Amino acid sequence: MEPLVVLLPLFGALLAMPVGRMWGARASEIITTVLVGLAMIYAWVLFFDVAMGAQHARTIPLFTWIASGEMSASWSVRLDTLSAVMLVVVNSVSFLVHWYSMGYMKEYGETPRFFAYLSLFTFAMLCLVTSDNFLQLFFGWEGVGLASYLLIGFWFKKKSANDAAIKAFVVNRVGDFGFALGIFAILYVFGTVNFNDVFSAIAENAVVTPFGWDAGAPVKELSITFLGHQVHALTVIGCLLFVGAMGKSAQFLLHTWLPDAMEGPTPVSALIHAATMVTAGVFLVCRCSIIYENAPTAAALVTLVGAITAFFAASVGLLQDDIKKIVAYSTCSQLGYMFIAAGVGAYGAAMFHLFTHAFFKALLFLGSGAVIIGMHHEQDIKKMGGVKDLMPFTHLLMVIGTISITGVGVPGLLLFGAPFGASGFVSKDMIIESAFAAAGVGRAVAWFAYGSAIVAAVFTAFYSWRLIFLTFWGKSRAPEHVRKHPHHVPDSMMWPLVPLAIGALAAGMVFYNQFVGANAAHFWNGALYNAPAHAEEVVAAAPDGNAAATEHAAPIEHAAAAGEHEHEPSLIVKWAPFLAMLIGFLAAALHYLRGDPLRRGALAPGGMIYAFLKNKWYFDEIYDFLLVKPALAFGRFLWVDGDQKTIDAVGPDGLAATVAAGARKIVKAQTGYIYHYAFAMLVGIAIFITYVLVRSGGAQ
């Protein structure tokens, strides 16, 4: 039965188009939504069974997928706490997005294709999070890349949508190349791609013999040749895997695809940002936590890139005017927080923020979609204002999402053993405190991460409340026909926002003790490096496909790592995130709630800093100059000078031109006069007779 939690969305993807053709678009919407809804219910059942209940962690092999020599990889469904958390996040958000899309896509048409893509996206992510080896994980990894390409470019007749889809696909190929090299390095060093084999070897510091070596060495001390240098093997593997995570999770340098992905329908943005594609990188690092704990240089790289991303994306979000792009840059920044936590060894905090982030980010995106529909598809917040009078319920929900993402709560106040505050407050503050207390990545990197996180918190509060004030408060700046006749927002778009709002407010407090609090060790049950491991059930599939045999794999013993509570933070450290949030909120309120909200501020148009932030640190321009234009010039050279002027000119075009020129010369001999042809015949006969006579004389 467990594979159904993965397969139900696939069934929806396969049925959407034929059902739509036979019974209409509404039928395809219903069947895909119902199937994902069933997967969501089952995901919660498995979550309580695997993580919250009797700790029935298990792996269910379905069939042997690849077998070559000594290397084999089966297709399995791995159910431990880490995958159970992701199953809940992916299926819950996907179901709400499906439900929401039934109203949002009503006027756009082609809904069977859209819902098929949504369900395919969900299935690919579920394959990723339930994988039991790196090859199966790579299949899901590439699957979400394909589905994101299809969904970002859903309106394929629109050039900007096609360009955005191609950009996302190409940028992710860079990261995926690094990820593929990481998998090759794992196979080279360990001779296997199975998680249990790799992680057990690292935990036991087993002697491994890389491919082609005569003798091996303990894996924690092993060095291999990479780019002409002897490098620590686990460091190479950790860095290469993180390059893949950088691409999928839109980290600094490989982030440029994420804002452009807003060209897809808003429900797509919610699914990408809250539950699927961008969370894959965080999941990968946490799944491979034992690698990063034994490769401090790779962990420091994760922390450093996460810190830079958190600061960079938050700074760019300050001056964005497109409501969806503001929320998109906030995703990029929040992912930076998650990587900070993973880099410093606080994997529980990273997954906790991923979990809470799914609620408030989906809420903000879907709420933004309701605003866009209500405002006749306007996305510029400077052309809105006063929307709370037109859409009071949407305003309330967006404020809840903003309270959560900015981290509103009371530092030091506990309620039932959990910090009192919105979900974002509980999980993000845990990350900032973990960065402050971290030691494994070096104090300089840890302090840089801590400082970047605090500054990013100020920026996050500012741009988040700026969105609320410019969109919902003050006088309306919308055209008169929009003010008098706002577009009707269907109820099917509003109801899915309610559970998201509840999660944005309470999920942090409800699940705090499980993810990072007193019950964390029991909750994670060895799924993360810094939690004690227990035996894992391996359920072998019988020939009829039913779970028939149950074995207990040897437990993977993990050493204690730098957890979230290694040092009790001081009062200043506890209050710093709250004060950062308060500074950002007050700055936004002072500027946008007094006088003309569009008046010139500290960062006025025309200034260097304004241009720098408005143009997103000029990354698109830099990449265009360094990569795109040279590539186009080189391609044009190969096309014009190499293909047309050389190959075609000498080859088929040259031969054709020679034949044509010869034909034109021969044609000139055709005069049309009979006496010319008679003379040519006489000359020919004379030559022929002469030839015969000469041959006859020679024969005699």
Side-chain angles (χ1 to χ4, degrees), residues 117-118 120-122 124 142-152 268:
Y117 290 169
L118 282 184
L120 178 65
F121 203 178
T122 306
E142 294 302 302
V144 295
L146 169 64
S148 67
Y149 171 81
L150 296 172
L151 286 166
I152 294 169
V268 174

Side-chain angles (χ1 to χ4, degrees), residues 70-151:
E70 296 182 359
M71 195 278 287
S72 65
S74 63
W75 194 279
S76 306
V77 176
R78 184 185 181 96
L79 294 174
D80 58 8
T81 302
L82 188 60
S83 58
V85 168
M86 293 301 298
L87 285 174
V88 165
V89 170
V90 175
N91 281 313
S92 298
V93 173
S94 180
F95 168 69
L96 295 174
V97 167
H98 275 73
W99 184 6
Y100 177 94
S101 300
M102 294 174 70
Y104 187 91
M105 296 298 293
K106 184 182 298 184
E107 298 180 1
Y108 290 108
E110 298 188 80
T111 52
R113 179 167 64 92
F114 180 77
F115 278 79
Y117 290 169
L118 282 184
S119 294
L120 178 65
F121 203 178
T122 306
F123 164 72
M125 189 65 187
L126 295 174
C127 285
L128 191 158
V129 301
T130 58
S131 57
D132 190 45
N133 58 74
F134 285 97
L135 282 183
Q136 185 182 342
L137 191 150
F138 191 72
F139 174 87
W141 195 270
E142 294 302 302
V144 295
L146 169 64
S148 67
Y149 171 81
L150 296 172
L151 286 166

Side-chain angles (χ1 to χ4, degrees), residues 48-57 81 521-525 534-535 537:
F48 282 97
D49 178 51
V50 171
M52 302 288 288
Q55 300 289 323
H56 291 149
T81 302
H522 180 264
F523 177 78
W524 289 111
N525 191 18
H534 300 280
E537 287 184 291

Side-chain angles (χ1 to χ4, degrees), residues 532-555:
H534 300 280
E536 180 189 61
E537 287 184 291
V538 179
V539 182
D544 61 356
N546 296 320
T550 301
E551 302 174 358
H552 287 279

Side-chain angles (χ1 to χ4, degrees), residues 134-336:
F134 285 97
L135 282 183
Q136 185 182 342
L137 191 150
F138 191 72
F139 174 87
W141 195 270
E142 294 302 302
V144 295
L146 169 64
S148 67
Y149 171 81
L150 296 172
L151 286 166
I152 294 169
F154 178 76
W155 290 313
F156 56 86
K157 296 180 181 179
K158 187 179 176 184
K159 184 179 183 302
S160 58
N162 286 327
D163 292 344
I166 293 172
K167 186 175 183 179
F169 199 78
V170 171
V171 173
N172 272 274
R173 296 289 70 71
V174 177
D176 293 354
F177 179 69
F179 186 31
L181 289 179
I183 296 175
F184 294 150
I186 290 171
L187 182 60
Y188 171 74
V189 171
F190 295 94
T192 180
V193 292
N194 295 316
F195 290 157
N196 281 349
D197 296 336
V198 173
F199 299 158
S200 295
I202 298 173
E204 299 165 3
N205 197 21
V207 174
V208 296
T209 305
F211 180 79
W213 287 31
D214 295 328
V219 66
K220 293 182 181 180
E221 289 80 41
L222 179 69
S223 294
I224 60 175
T225 302
F226 182 72
L227 299 178
H229 299 278
Q230 286 294 114
V231 188
H232 183 226
L234 293 181
T235 299
V236 173
I237 291 170
C239 290
L240 290 173
L241 293 179
F242 181 60
V243 171
M246 287 174 63
K248 275 292 179 286
S249 294
Q251 292 300 283
F252 189 70
L253 300 180
L254 296 181
H255 66 276
T256 53
W257 67 270
L258 192 62
D260 289 13
M262 299 304 98
E263 288 292 338
T266 300
V268 174
S269 304
L271 193 57
I272 289 176
H273 288 247
T276 53
M277 189 164 172
V278 298
T279 63
V282 180
F283 170 82
L284 173 65
V285 173
C286 291
R287 173 62 80 194
C288 299
S289 56
I290 193 169
I291 294 177
Y292 291 96
E293 285 297 326
N294 291 282
T297 302
L301 176 65
V302 174
T303 307
L304 187 63
V305 172
I308 295 173
T309 304
F311 173 81
F312 155 75
S315 69
V316 174
L318 293 173
L319 297 178
Q320 296 299 307
D321 298 325
D322 186 311
I323 188 171
K324 289 174 65 177
K325 287 192 175 182
I326 295 172
V327 185
Y329 276 108
S330 77
T331 299
C332 195
S333 182
Q334 297 303 309
L335 288 166

